[in-house]
């Protein structure tokens, strides 16, 4: 009687462990799919892949513009802010080009180097842009990214999804997938050993 209870408890434990392993594998596959349709397209579409040095030539704050500067935008997403324009000398080519914060900045407003998030306090936005402009004037040379193919002449300060960020994004689902597979394998080995012991 005690032996049957132990076998039943063992089977329940194996079933729960197997469900846990399958759940981890399923969740990791969903995470892979989510990363594949969100982060990977942004990474593959980015042409600013090569790092070089940029030297600031001028950093000017123009009159206020509307954000975003694109057609079909909703009225509640449009707000005025000072337009910061940073021009740099690209070390790789020696050309004078405009600098943008990220790829997203160029898409949101190609006239400005920095596009702030929508904030209620316009003074805070103005102070932040002035601080950024002063930092550019203070640190004349810094690393930036450009298009080695020459399709885009402008440069960006940082990539939204660099190679290290993409590897880090795939790290957690990979660990979860590996752990789930390991649990399934251990359960199957345990079942095989139990059947072998019972047969002997």
């Amino acid at each position: 009687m005690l032996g049957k209870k132990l076998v039943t408890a063992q089977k329940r434990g194996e079933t729960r462990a197997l469900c846990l392993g399958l759940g981890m594998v399923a969740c990791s596959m969903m995470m892979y799919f989510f990363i594949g349709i969100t982060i990977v397209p942004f990474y593959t579409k980015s042409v600013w892949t090569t790092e070089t040095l940029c030297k600031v030539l001028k950093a000017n704050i123009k009159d206020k513009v509307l954000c975003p500067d694109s057609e079909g935008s909703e009225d509640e997403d449009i707000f005025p802010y000072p337009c910061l324009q940073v021009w740099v000398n690209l070390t790789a080519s020696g050309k004078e080009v405009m600098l943008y914060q990220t790829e997203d900045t160029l898409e949101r407003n190609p006239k400005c180097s920095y596009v702030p998030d929508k904030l209620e306090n316009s003074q805070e936005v103005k102070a932040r842009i002035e601080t950024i402009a002063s930092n550019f004037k203070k640190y004349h040379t810094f690393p930036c990214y450009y298009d080695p193919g020459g399709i885009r002449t402008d440069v960006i300060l940082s990539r939204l999804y660099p190679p290290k960020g993409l590897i880090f994004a795939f790290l957690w689902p990979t660990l979860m997938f590996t752990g789930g597979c390991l649990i399934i394998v251990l359960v199957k080995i345990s079942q095989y050993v139990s059947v072998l012991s019972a047969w002997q």
Side-chain angles (χ1 to χ4, degrees), residues 117-185:
D117 296 328
K118 186 176 181 180
L119 298 174
E120 297 295 334
N121 190 353
S122 60
Q123 295 297 326
E124 184 179 349
V125 174
K126 182 180 178 181
R128 180 180 299 180
I129 292 177
E130 289 177 351
T131 302
I132 294 173
S134 62
N135 287 336
F136 276 119
K137 293 176 182 179
K138 183 178 179 181
Y139 303 101
H140 296 284
T141 304
F142 50 86
C144 59
Y145 294 90
Y146 75 101
D147 176 18
I151 300 175
R152 302 303 302 260
T153 56
D154 36 44
V155 296
I156 61 174
L157 181 62
S158 60
R159 300 180 65 182
L160 279 176
Y161 301 104
K164 291 182 179 179
L166 191 66
I167 293 173
F168 184 77
F170 278 106
L171 176 63
W172 296 112
T174 301
L175 292 175
M176 184 177 292
F177 179 81
T178 305
C181 291
L182 185 61
I183 291 174
I184 294 173
V185 170

Side-chain angles (χ1 to χ4, degrees), residues 9-149:
Q10 183 180 3
K11 287 183 178 180
R12 288 179 181 175
E14 290 175 350
T15 303
R16 291 174 182 174
L18 190 61
C19 290
L20 175 63
L22 292 174
M24 291 175 65
V25 171
C27 289
S28 64
M29 297 304 293
M30 291 176 61
M31 292 175 67
Y32 278 129
F33 176 75
F34 180 76
I35 294 172
I37 63 175
T38 55
I39 299 179
V40 173
F42 283 103
Y43 177 79
T44 55
K45 285 193 301 183
S46 178
V47 296
W48 297 272
T49 56
T50 305
E51 185 176 352
T52 186
L53 290 177
C54 287
K55 185 177 180 180
V56 176
L57 297 176
K58 52 186 176 181
N60 301 323
I61 299 178
K62 303 292 183 180
D63 295 333
K64 287 188 176 182
V65 296
L66 295 179
C67 174
D69 189 21
S70 59
E71 297 180 358
S73 58
E74 299 181 359
D75 293 338
E76 59 267 18
D77 294 332
I78 298 177
F79 63 98
Y81 64 94
C83 181
L84 172 64
Q85 292 182 345
V86 181
W87 293 88
V88 298
N89 183 10
L90 187 62
T91 306
S93 62
K95 296 181 180 179
E96 180 180 341
V97 296
M98 189 168 178
L99 175 73
Y100 296 92
Q101 184 184 12
T102 61
E103 300 95 329
D104 183 60
T105 306
L106 183 60
E107 292 182 2
R108 292 177 64 186
N109 192 347
K111 296 179 182 179
C112 304
S113 298
Y114 173 76
V115 177
D117 296 328
K118 186 176 181 180
L119 298 174
E120 297 295 334
N121 190 353
S122 60
Q123 295 297 326
E124 184 179 349
V125 174
K126 182 180 178 181
R128 180 180 299 180
I129 292 177
E130 289 177 351
T131 302
I132 294 173
S134 62
N135 287 336
F136 276 119
K137 293 176 182 179
K138 183 178 179 181
Y139 303 101
H140 296 284
T141 304
F142 50 86
C144 59
Y145 294 90
Y146 75 101
D147 176 18

